[in-house]
Amino acid sequence: MPQPQPQPLAPHRIAVIAPSPVSMFNLAIPEMLFGNVEVDGRPGYEVIICAAEPGPVPTSGGLDLYVRRGLDAVREADTVVVAGTGAPYEPDPRIVAAVKEAAADGKRVASLCTGAFQLAEAGLLAGRRATTYWAHAEELRRRYPHIDLQGDVLYVQDGPYVTSSGYAAGIDLCLHVIRTDYGAAVANEVARRALVAPVRPGGQTQFTHTPLPPERGNACADTRGWAMRHLDQPLTLTDLARHAGVSVRTLTRRFRAESGVSPLQWLLHQRIERARELLETTTLPMDQVARASGLGTADSLRAHVVRRTGLTPSAYRTQFSRLGTAASADTSSAA
């Protein structure tokens, strides 16, 4: 008598909630990545877009998207993903209730970008590590002080809750979920199809440009310009004051009044930014990058780049090189 054949497992169901106004980019990421997962020739996921109210949903780009499913889709899902919105500070009580119910049912709940505000309002993140887009991190911290906010990472998982920072970090979160469900080989294949990096650890920093406060005067503008042209030299406060034709005390007072930071803080910031630019646009060995940016040694370069970006200089170059294929000219072991 023929034995019954095992039935293929049903796809993992993911409900992606679209708050209003929703980020179209946030909605596209789960559909693109989860929709490309195949396991033994079958779809690994079924992705359903849903909204608090089916029908036209405004987007942050000024368009309307027609969403057919309501939040009943959350009850059918194994994982719930809340997309980001242009109104992060106004959680929708219907979405909050839906994710709270999903959590009570033991489902995995994730957020992209400012979707973390919906999870926080539901109380899911209290006492847990979480993140959001860096521009809204302080507001999330202020509103929900019991969150262990990881302000400068790509994504973080704490128990069944996964949160990502902004924009492309949602890709990293989705690949993390795929790796968790189906393993690295499947996740790497999806990454190859999507032409994205297969592995970026969640603890990697968001690589935001770290701006200085806006300048509020130009008394020291000539000296700042002169310093920018001489970053590779061992500039001191005395050197800067001599160029400005004032005392060190006067320079420090004027510099802070105009730039919001001390002269040496400003100088270090510019040197690190110069080093990052050289790592992205040249194949100079690390000791030469350090000297050209005024950071001195490869060890010093490593310390500052790791502190700023979370990556070693060589890893940063690999990630962000604008040369197509960065040559392996990293002759310093300190890289």
Side-chain angles (χ1 to χ4, degrees):
M1 183 174 180
Q3 296 295 317
Q5 297 298 311
Q7 295 298 310
L9 296 176
H12 187 103
R13 290 167 296 182
I14 294 185
V16 182
I17 301 177
S20 176
V22 70
S23 162
M24 290 189 292
F25 186 59
N26 273 193
L27 283 184
I29 288 172
E31 193 281 328
M32 175 182 68
L33 294 178
F34 294 128
N36 272 311
V37 174
E38 288 189 1
V39 181
D40 298 329
R42 62 177 178 81
Y45 295 97
E46 177 187 357
V47 181
I48 300 172
I49 309 296
C50 60
E53 187 172 337
V57 175
T59 71
S60 54
L63 303 175
D64 284 350
L65 294 178
Y66 192 88
V67 179
R68 293 184 175 84
R69 290 294 302 271
L71 294 177
D72 60 297
V74 172
R75 299 189 184 95
E76 304 169 6
D78 304 300
T79 294
V80 180
V81 179
V82 183
T85 171
Y89 311 142
E90 298 177 8
D92 187 316
R94 295 167 294 182
I95 295 175
V96 170
V99 297
K100 187 181 294 187
E101 181 181 339
D105 290 341
K107 299 177 180 180
R108 179 172 53 196
V109 182
S111 65
L112 307 181
C113 194
T114 56
F117 283 81
Q118 311 278 354
L119 274 61
E121 184 69 18
L124 307 188
L125 304 181
R128 294 184 180 271
R129 292 175 296 119
T131 192
T132 190
Y133 183 43
W134 65 268
H136 301 296
E138 285 306 314
E139 181 64 20
L140 185 69
R141 190 194 309 275
R142 186 186 69 80
R143 286 181 170 241
Y144 309 101
H146 298 300
I147 296 176
D148 182 7
L149 184 64
Q150 310 291 298
D152 197 24
V153 298
L154 295 176
Y155 63 89
V156 61
Q157 178 163 1
D158 192 330
Y161 309 125
V162 196
T163 53
S164 81
S165 57
Y167 296 99
I171 296 174
D172 300 290
L173 181 147
C174 291
L175 289 175
H176 166 74
V177 168
I178 295 168
R179 281 196 300 272
T180 300
D181 292 342
Y182 294 111
V186 173
N188 290 344
E189 177 60 28
V190 171
R192 282 192 290 271
R193 291 182 183 181
L195 300 178
V196 297
V199 177
R200 289 206 297 175
Q204 181 172 306
T205 58
Q206 295 180 27
F207 297 107
T208 58
H209 174 61
T210 309
L212 292 173
E215 294 181 358
R216 296 180 290 273
N218 57 13
C220 296
D222 287 344
T223 298
R224 287 194 294 269
W226 173 80
M228 289 292 292
R229 296 190 296 272
H230 295 83
L231 288 177
D232 59 333
Q233 299 179 18
L235 301 177
T236 66
L237 274 176
T238 301
D239 295 327
L240 296 172
R242 183 182 298 115
H243 182 275
V246 296
S247 68
V248 169
R249 183 174 180 177
T250 298
L251 173 80
T252 301
R253 176 174 52 80
R254 290 180 180 176
F255 216 99
R256 186 177 291 278
E258 291 181 14
S259 66
V261 294
S262 73
L264 294 184
Q265 287 174 320
W266 178 90
L267 194 59
L268 178 60
H269 179 94
Q270 302 302 336
R271 283 175 165 158
I272 296 172
E273 292 303 303
R274 175 68 56 81
R276 290 172 66 171
E277 181 179 353
L278 291 172
L279 290 171
E280 294 173 13
T281 60
T282 75
T283 58
L284 289 173
M286 296 304 169
D287 56 346
Q288 292 185 29
V289 171
R291 288 196 300 270
S293 59
L295 293 175
T297 67
D299 285 338
S300 177
L301 170 71
R302 177 189 174 93
H304 286 297
V305 172
V306 168
R307 189 176 299 117
R308 177 67 62 85
T309 70
L311 293 179
T312 64
S314 56
Y316 183 89
R317 171 173 277 168
T318 298
Q319 185 75 42
F320 293 102
S321 174
R322 303 176 191 174
L323 302 178
T325 301
S328 299
D330 306 352
T331 57
S332 170
S333 61

